[in-house]
Amino acid sequence: MKVLFATSEACPFAKSGGLADVCGALPKALRKRMVGARVVLPLYSTIGNELREKMTFVCNITVPVSWRMQYCGVFEAHENGVIYYFIDNEYYFKRDGLYGYYDDAERFTFFSRAVLEIIPHIGFKPDVIHCNDWQTALIPIFLNEMYKADPFYADIKTVFTIHNIQYQGKYGMEIYGDVLGLPEGREAIIEYDGCVNFMKGAIQCADKVTTVSPTYSREILDPYYSHGLHSILGEFTYKSTGIVNGIDYDEYDPETDTLIYKNYNADTLKDKKVNKKKLQEELSLPQKDCPVIGIVSRLVGHKGIDLIKCVFEELLKADLQFVILGSGEWEYETFFYDMSQKYPEKVALKLGYDNKLAHKIYASADFFLMPSKSEPCGLAQLISLRYGTIPIVRETGGLNDTIKDSADGEGNGFTFSNYNAHDMQNAVWRAIGCYDDKKGFEILQKRAMACDNSWKSSANCYVKLYKEIIEK
């Protein structure tokens, strides 16, 4: 079985969020299950020289983008046992960032056509193209409308995974002919609510549609979560499923992680306390025995940051400390900066993203706060469990599938269901109460570290899914 992952980002080459972690780790897990998994992504100028030195030139072709014919170079690299292909076109991808440009529709139209066009030239014909989020949503559409008549492409199947339904690839209908170049009279495939909607077209055309957790798969049938796509999703529930993400257990391993202060495992939790003291020292917090709550997140509303803001000073009345890493909306960045200045002995803030510091927070904090309004899957809570850092989460999406409240003596974290600041606050108070019971807290930490959130189970689910559509 051969699977080609089409993605706009993948670790370690390009990352803006959890999509990169998934597309870097899942192909590696599939290869361990005898699946020939390879990855294709754009050759961004932000990819560093150290990684570029691993690439070799494969070929160059021209790719149609409606009436245009664009250069497409193809490079190849091997990383963690996986072959990666890179689509080169400096006009589209020699930019400072990955997304956010006026011509993103054209950029990822080019990328989607290029993925299909390079297949005859790379010596790898996939049984399945696994597409991820709106940036690759055109691939199932183009395959069905422009390539299936060619016997070479006729038996290729597609899977489309929704990592975040909020970003759909919505544009004006004027790009239908000038950019997409789809056949005349086929507008209905990609039109939705008077707009071109890449994701809608993929939901309609892909052989299977997946989301990154079972709960999220159900939630997005509700208008509250669907960002307008509930009706089309309801129409195609027969081919939809939810498979929870895993994490890379090689990258996130407290016993071997080179980015943390001191390695440890479930039997040497005293060394986790060493990490805590070192983090307090590095961030100029008092080195004391009190609960440290970590937050590694984009500071935006749907991550529940407004709930934290609402009761933050009330929480700070307790003997605890917050360590916050992230960036996002000005309102929240400013709020946490003000709090770090007003309460320097209780609040440490680093704006931006720092992978090394993120690892240190996962390894050093006692609790990890993640009160999301919506969360397709979430990786941070899974990483926290791996390091014995207890998640405090809202019961939504993948958080609901992976974190169970410890009130029953069997759970692995603290949860609340209503999107309410005081419900969240109560979950924090319960967590602090557990921290004060040193013996009980250590039992909870060991239970958290015993959870298996590797890609083992999820990769098996994908293998089953691929076989189902290949054999159909």
Side-chain angles (χ1 to χ4, degrees), residues 191-261:
E191 186 273 334
Y192 195 68
D193 285 345
C195 300
V196 162
N197 189 308
F198 289 17
M199 188 173 285
K200 179 266 182 182
I203 293 167
Q204 183 171 332
C205 293
D207 294 289
K208 283 286 184 181
V209 177
T210 73
T211 66
V212 288
S213 73
T215 296
Y216 193 61
S217 183
R218 295 188 298 270
E219 284 180 340
I220 58 176
L221 297 175
D222 187 317
Y224 182 79
Y225 291 98
S226 72
H227 291 273
L229 283 181
H230 49 279
S231 60
I232 193 72
L233 286 162
E235 190 176 335
F236 292 100
T237 52
Y238 68 89
K239 63 178 179 181
S240 302
T241 189
I243 301 174
V244 73
N245 283 337
I247 57 171
D248 188 333
Y249 266 37
D250 295 328
E251 179 179 359
Y252 298 107
D253 184 351
E255 284 196 277
T256 59
D257 192 337
T258 59
L259 300 180
I260 67 177
Y261 303 102

Side-chain angles (χ1 to χ4, degrees), residues 279-299:
L279 181 69
Q280 288 171 323
E281 180 182 3
E282 179 177 335
L283 298 179
S284 301
L285 291 171
Q287 295 177 52
K288 57 186 294 190
D289 179 16
C290 71
V292 172
I293 300 176
I295 298 172
V296 179
S297 174
R298 284 181 290 125
L299 304 180

Side-chain angles (χ1 to χ4, degrees), residues 88-201:
D88 176 38
N89 180 297
E90 291 193 348
Y91 173 72
Y92 290 125
F93 301 126
K94 191 174 183 180
R95 316 270 179 115
D96 290 336
L98 308 188
Y99 321 120
Y101 292 93
Y102 75 96
D103 60 345
D104 276 357
E106 184 178 332
R107 295 171 71 220
F108 291 102
T109 296
F110 164 77
F111 177 66
S112 296
R113 287 296 297 266
V115 169
L116 294 166
E117 290 284 338
I118 69 168
I119 291 174
H121 303 277
I122 59 177
F124 181 79
K125 180 185 173 182
D127 299 298
V128 177
I129 303 176
H130 191 149
C131 309
N132 296 272
D133 268 350
W134 75 266
Q135 295 90 344
T136 59
L138 290 173
I139 293 173
I141 304 168
F142 287 150
L143 179 64
N144 286 10
E145 294 296 314
M146 298 177 170
Y147 291 83
K148 283 281 189 177
D150 184 336
F152 179 83
Y153 291 94
D155 57 350
I156 296 177
K157 308 294 186 180
T158 54
V159 172
F160 178 67
T161 295
I162 300 170
H163 295 264
N164 191 336
I165 202 167
Q166 182 175 354
Y167 305 103
Q168 301 172 6
K170 294 172 67 173
Y171 298 95
M173 285 301 297
E174 66 273 7
I175 74 164
Y176 181 85
D178 190 53
V179 174
L180 305 184
L182 284 162
E184 213 172 303
R186 302 295 289 163
E187 290 86 352
I189 291 172
I190 202 165
E191 186 273 334
Y192 195 68
D193 285 345
C195 300
V196 162
N197 189 308
F198 289 17
M199 188 173 285
K200 179 266 182 182

